[in-house]
Amino acid sequence: MNARTKHPSQAHRVISLQIEGITCASCVGRVEKALKAVPGVENANVNLATERADVVVTEQIEYEALVRGVEQAGYSVSSAPIKLAIEGMICASCVGRLERALQGVPGVVSATVNLATEQATIQGNADEALLVKAVEQSGYTAHPTDRRGSDRVAPITVIGDWFTSGPFESQKPQIEAMLGQVGRNETIAGAPKQRPVVHRPQVGQVIDLEPGQTILSAVLEKGIPYPHYCRSGQCGKCKSRLLEGEVSLLGHTEFSLSEEEKANGQVLACCAVPTKGSVSVEWLGPHHEKPDHPERRLQCRFSAIDAATHDIRRARLALDGQPFSFSASQHARLSLEGLPARDYSMANRPDRSELEFHIRRVPDGETSSFIHSHLKPGECVTLEGPFGFSHLRQEHSGPIVAVAGGSGLAPIHSIVATALHLGMDQPIHVYFGVHTERDLYMLDHFQSLVDTHRNLIFTPVLSDQPSARYRTGMVSGAIAEDLENLDGWKAYVVGPPPMVKATTLVLAAAGLQSRNLHADVFFTPEEH
């Protein structure tokens, strides 16, 4: 077999390099000669038309050695990474699976996947189509990101008071910095140079904007609550009425804002950039979006704590007769002396005398580690709340789909248990997505609810383990298989950002109206 066309053995791999500066056959010969001289290189083929070198190497060779070889020949290697937006990830196992798949594509030198930003960064010069195919064969979806340096779609937003998040106020700057890298704050060409002004007559506020800044970005930057969710024109939660002025809209989905709605003067605050002077907007939605419960600060004690799973503790908090009202699926802030405060959702019905929380252990997390390893019944804790807007809508009489990921089962249980206790008899479909069987909990309890309530269906889904007993795959995939038409349904979705995002896309595709989506995001950055 000719040495220039032999196939690499299993002990070798192919690295592709994009070569800059080659103009003729002599250039090709020089680059090939330089690459073959690098220790560990078995063969090198350079294509003048594509300016690409395919190098057969041993596993031990370093990428930098190839780059130095090309540079010593008088040429250079393009180092711009390939970036892909990934959809469908829910956990660290998904990250590992994707990184292994991408690293197996010819031409990939390294591949890193970021769960928080839902983005893969690939070094090397692999074929982009092959990278996308590798992702899809692993059970996920991928598409190239905007090559200008920021993705067009932001991750799930957890800034401010409108959505539950794992961290608390002390971690808000960290989250804002992380999400801001891929948020919808880009400047629109032709945006006015003067500073526009947004009037909010609902609350009597006037807010200055930077040129090219979206309305939602400016409002949140001032620390002012505003209904929102995706910050990327997908969910419709920030839908507002434009009372005065003119705006330019960034890209958005028909699901979030229809042509008819735009014709009626509605805009999306996350996509609306004022184009001529000041504008006046008001958000849409009922005035009772936020439950009418007084926020309290109470001194309480833990009455019990036990293991729900290998990494989730079930903690009960005694109120000792102190008043604390909330709506199903709201959350509270717990502060233990000497530790960072953390938000956790109530898992119980609001009429119970004790509060129940499901607390997942975060690697290196000070608060969650203490709760898992040292907390004892009787210890004191400061309770603040309630907070949150994605609560049970008791006035809704249509079907309900409730989706939980991991410890997101806590608020979902609160919703389901409360709905059944109130006699809500519409169909209620509950999906519980976890990695493996050891992550499942409360199965017997939900089965007892199913046995006594004909309108309840409970479906556990395992993403990382084959099973003859449970559904397998992505929880969003199970929903897509089961529910075809969600017009008139209410959806409550709670879990990590990738799961919530993948699920909301499936729900929207099945006809769920944006006003009927209520989601809480459990976003937990590292706690150090």
Side-chain angles (χ1 to χ4, degrees):
M1 182 180 293
N2 188 292
R4 293 180 62 86
T5 60
K6 70 178 182 179
H7 297 287
S9 69
Q10 291 184 349
H12 299 75
R13 60 190 174 116
V14 176
I15 294 179
S16 297
L17 306 175
Q18 201 68 30
I19 310 299
E20 297 180 349
I22 55 175
T23 60
C24 62
S26 297
C27 297
V28 169
R30 282 194 289 270
V31 173
E32 287 182 347
K33 181 178 180 181
L35 287 170
K36 291 175 183 177
V38 177
V41 172
E42 292 290 312
N43 194 26
N45 294 309
V46 178
N47 187 311
L48 178 60
T50 61
E51 299 183 331
R52 172 170 164 161
D54 292 324
V55 189
V56 180
V57 303
T58 63
E59 291 293 337
Q60 292 75 27
I61 196 170
E62 293 183 356
Y63 175 74
E64 290 76 12
L66 299 177
V67 174
R68 287 194 297 270
V70 172
E71 292 175 344
Q72 289 171 0
Y75 305 91
S76 60
V77 176
S78 175
S79 59
I82 299 173
K83 294 191 176 183
L84 299 177
I86 309 293
E87 295 180 1
M89 296 188 296
I90 62 171
C91 63
S93 297
C94 299
V95 170
R97 186 182 301 117
L98 282 166
E99 288 181 344
R100 289 190 296 272
L102 290 169
Q103 288 166 358
V105 175
V108 171
V109 176
S110 66
T112 57
V113 178
N114 189 310
L115 180 62
T117 61
E118 299 179 83
Q119 181 171 275
T121 301
I122 301 98
Q123 294 288 350
N125 283 285
D127 188 318
E128 198 170 77
L130 293 179
L131 295 172
V132 171
K133 183 177 180 180
V135 172
E136 292 175 346
Q137 289 176 339
S138 299
Y140 307 89
T141 301
H143 58 83
T145 64
D146 190 330
R147 296 305 178 85
R148 291 173 300 171
S150 64
D151 294 341
R152 297 294 297 178
V153 179
I156 301 302
T157 299
V158 291
I159 300 174
D161 300 325
W162 287 93
F163 290 91
T164 305
S165 58
F168 294 124
E169 200 66 21
S170 62
Q171 290 176 296
K172 184 175 177 181
Q174 178 185 357
I175 301 169
E176 287 177 330
M178 182 179 297
L179 297 183
Q181 295 175 1
V182 287
R184 242 181 215 284
N185 300 323
E186 65 262 39
T187 300
I188 294 181
K193 296 184 177 181
Q194 71 272 21
R195 292 171 63 91
V197 176
V198 170
H199 300 269
R200 296 178 62 215
Q202 282 169 306
V203 290
Q205 292 172 314
V206 177
I207 303 161
D208 289 330
L209 279 75
E210 296 294 333
Q213 190 176 25
T214 66
I215 292 173
L216 180 63
S217 172
V219 170
L220 296 180
E221 191 175 274
K222 301 296 184 183
I224 300 168
Y226 201 102
H228 72 283
Y229 178 41
C230 69
R231 294 185 76 193
S232 59
Q234 296 188 71
C235 71
K237 276 292 182 181
C238 66
K239 194 176 296 180
S240 307
R241 179 170 287 106
L242 182 64
L243 302 177
E244 295 179 10
E246 296 181 13
V247 300
S248 177
L249 287 175
L250 298 172
H252 57 276
T253 65
E254 176 75 10
F255 168 74
S256 62
L257 187 68
S258 68
E259 291 299 323
E260 181 180 357
E261 289 171 327
K262 283 190 281 189
N264 291 330
Q266 296 180 28
V267 299
L268 298 176
C270 69
C271 299
V273 177
T275 56
K276 291 184 179 180
S278 64
V279 297
S280 179
V281 297
E282 64 178 8
W283 69 72
L284 302 180
H287 294 291
H288 62 273
E289 275 294 302
K290 183 176 181 180
D292 188 20
H293 301 298
E295 293 183 7
R296 301 185 183 277
R297 180 182 175 92
L298 307 176
Q299 297 301 314
C300 304
R301 60 181 176 83
F302 287 98
S303 59
I305 183 166
D306 61 0
T309 73
H310 65 101
D311 66 349
I312 294 176
R313 290 289 185 270
R314 184 166 35 217
R316 293 182 177 85
L317 203 62
L319 295 172
D320 294 328
Q322 300 179 92
F324 186 81
S325 61
F326 67 95
S327 293
S329 189
Q330 286 194 285
H331 63 281
R333 183 164 302 148
L334 303 184
S335 302
L336 291 160
E337 186 176 357
L339 294 169
R342 293 289 178 262
D343 281 355
Y344 299 106
S345 298
M346 278 74 77
N348 56 286
R349 294 189 337 228
D351 62 321
R352 297 301 193 186
S353 60
E354 289 189 328
L355 303 181
E356 180 177 313
F357 302 94
H358 299 172
I359 301 172
R360 185 179 69 85
R361 183 167 196 159
V362 178
D364 300 322
E366 294 180 52
T367 303
S368 62
S369 295
F370 176 85
I371 290 173
H372 276 246
S373 302
H374 304 293
L375 185 68
K376 305 295 182 186
E379 292 203 36
C380 296
V381 61
T382 299
L383 172 75
E384 297 177 77
F387 308 112
F389 293 78
S390 296
H391 57 89
L392 174 66
R393 268 58 176 183
Q394 299 180 22
E395 72 279 1
H396 176 70
S397 59
I400 292 172
V401 56
V403 189
S407 60
L409 189 63
I412 291 300
H413 173 260
S414 180
I415 286 175
V416 173
T418 302
L420 297 175
H421 178 69
L422 293 173
M424 297 174 67
D425 58 1
Q426 64 262 57
I428 302 176
H429 294 249
V430 179
Y431 290 85
F432 181 27
V434 297
H435 306 314
T436 63
E437 284 195 37
R438 72 171 186 160
D439 300 311
L440 293 169
Y441 68 105
M442 294 189 76
L443 296 185
D444 292 341
H445 175 72
F446 271 96
Q447 186 58 52
S448 68
L449 292 177
V450 170
D451 292 341
T452 55
H453 297 85
R454 287 183 156 185
N455 59 320
L456 179 64
I457 297 175
F458 179 69
T459 306
V461 183
L462 309 181
S463 64
D464 295 339
Q465 178 184 345
S467 175
R469 300 175 58 193
Y470 305 109
R471 296 277 289 276
T472 58
M474 311 303 290
V475 69
S476 56
I479 297 169
E481 292 175 3
D482 296 348
L483 307 177
E484 295 182 355
N485 185 358
L486 296 178
D487 185 29
W489 288 55
K490 278 283 185 188
Y492 302 94
V493 185
V494 188
M499 182 278 266
V500 172
K501 180 178 179 180
T503 300
T504 55
L505 292 174
V506 166
L507 297 175
L512 183 77
Q513 296 173 310
S514 60
R515 66 174 181 272
N516 287 328
L517 170 65
H518 308 286
D520 280 349
V521 181
F522 285 0
F523 183 92
T524 310
E526 294 181 355
E527 302 170 313
H528 294 298

